[in-house]
Amino acid sequence: DAKTTQPPSMDCAEGRAANLPCNHSTISGNEYVYWYRQIHSQGPQYIIHGLKNNETNEMASLIITEDRKSSTLILPHATLRDTAVYYCIVRVSYNFNKFYFGSGTKLNVKP
Amino acid sequence: GAVVSQHPSRVICKSGTSVKIECRSLDFQATTMFWYRQFPKQSLMLMATSNEGSKATYEQGVEKDKFLINHASLTLSTLTVTSAHPEDSSFYICSARDASGGDNEQFFGPGTRLTVL
């Protein structure tokens, strides 16, 4: 039931921006895009979410294309502690707003 | 921020026994909670949706008699793995939806590592 496609892994140099892409070409008009990350053996941590407009918070920025078929999560200055699996999720807008996780992107931040 | 706790954090049990895992929302009310299972090197798989005061709804392929869910209050849901077997060994994670939240984001617990010998 996952509705997103992400690259399995990415590398990023410490201090550089990490840009994580996500394809959600079948997204419906009222479905939100959420990003979570999971550090090894912990529960997922909320990062950011959006509907149409680009969003920014203290952790990251979310850029959503105009047609909403893809998005990019940007970590502006990656640190070693940002090494984690990042999940892009399209929230189902019916049936209790379930989350179905895809396979995610393993981001490796290297010194 | 909203906090979700799970207890225990890890449990080891013998095959054939039942194990109960608790999920609590600490600073908000959660009319809906979700239970996930995660095997090593795999993604989270949604098992069931737990609704306060009503029966849980299970995802396709998840045995409701094997994984008993009770959501007796607005801050507590429990998952009981009945007659556990080694293949039930996994990382179980719950999440809770803040009923007062406008965008319905989910807050996840830290997970429970179950090992069945």
Side-chain angles (χ1 to χ4, degrees):
Chain A
D1 291 292
K3 300 168 64 172
T4 62
T5 304
Q6 298 176 253
S9 66
M10 292 182 63
D11 290 338
C12 177
E14 188 178 17
R16 297 282 193 167
N19 297 283
L20 293 91
C22 179
N23 182 288
H24 32 78
S25 58
T26 60
I27 192 170
S28 299
N30 58 351
E31 291 181 324
Y32 284 77
V33 178
Y34 282 76
W35 283 84
Y36 281 78
R37 72 181 182 184
Q38 186 179 28
I39 297 171
H40 183 62
S41 295
Q42 297 182 24
Q45 176 191 20
Y46 168 80
I47 301 173
I48 200 167
H49 74 281
L51 182 62
K52 295 180 181 178
N53 301 321
N54 298 335
E55 302 287 344
T56 296
N57 62 21
E58 64 278 4
M59 288 184 69
S61 295
L62 174 60
I63 309 298
I64 302 174
T65 58
E66 191 169 343
D67 62 9
R68 303 211 322 124
K69 292 186 177 182
S70 66
S71 61
T72 301
L73 178 74
I74 301 172
L75 306 179
H77 306 287
T79 70
L80 298 178
R81 288 179 295 179
D82 292 322
T83 292
V85 178
Y86 286 76
Y87 294 101
C88 166
I89 305 163
V90 171
R91 190 194 82 198
V92 175
S93 57
Y94 56 93
N95 205 3
F96 305 107
N97 298 295
K98 298 178 183 179
F99 281 178
Y100 291 104
F101 283 75
S103 53
T105 296
K106 175 65 189 302
L107 176 67
N108 298 299
V109 180
K110 300 186 175 181
Chain B
V3 178
V4 175
S5 69
Q6 283 185 240
H7 177 78
S9 57
R10 62 176 60 230
V11 56
I12 300 173
C13 70
K14 293 182 179 180
S15 185
T17 61
S18 295
V19 175
K20 180 186 284 187
I21 302 170
E22 293 185 348
C23 176
R24 293 180 185 274
S25 57
L26 297 185
D27 50 1
F28 65 98
Q29 293 185 331
T31 53
T32 305
M33 291 183 172
F34 303 88
W35 287 95
Y36 298 81
R37 180 168 54 180
Q38 185 175 34
F39 292 110
K41 298 188 184 301
Q42 294 187 22
S43 184
L44 284 76
M45 185 193 79
L46 179 64
M47 298 175 66
T49 302
S50 170
N51 300 294
E52 187 267 337
S54 64
K55 291 183 178 180
T57 57
Y58 292 80
E59 295 297 306
Q60 189 173 8
V62 178
E63 301 175 58
K64 62 180 181 180
D65 295 329
K66 171 77 172 176
F67 300 100
L68 301 179
I69 292 172
N70 183 277
H71 193 155
S73 77
L74 287 172
T75 59
L76 173 64
S77 175
T78 60
L79 168 69
T80 301
V81 183
T82 62
S83 187
H85 292 285
E87 57 266 30
D88 298 322
S89 298
S90 188
F91 193 49
Y92 291 87
I93 305 169
C94 72
S95 70
R97 186 166 71 89
D98 187 346
S100 64
D103 288 342
N104 298 302
E105 64 189 87
Q106 291 185 25
F107 301 97
F108 287 80
T112 296
R113 176 80 55 194
L114 171 63
T115 302
V116 184
L117 302 177

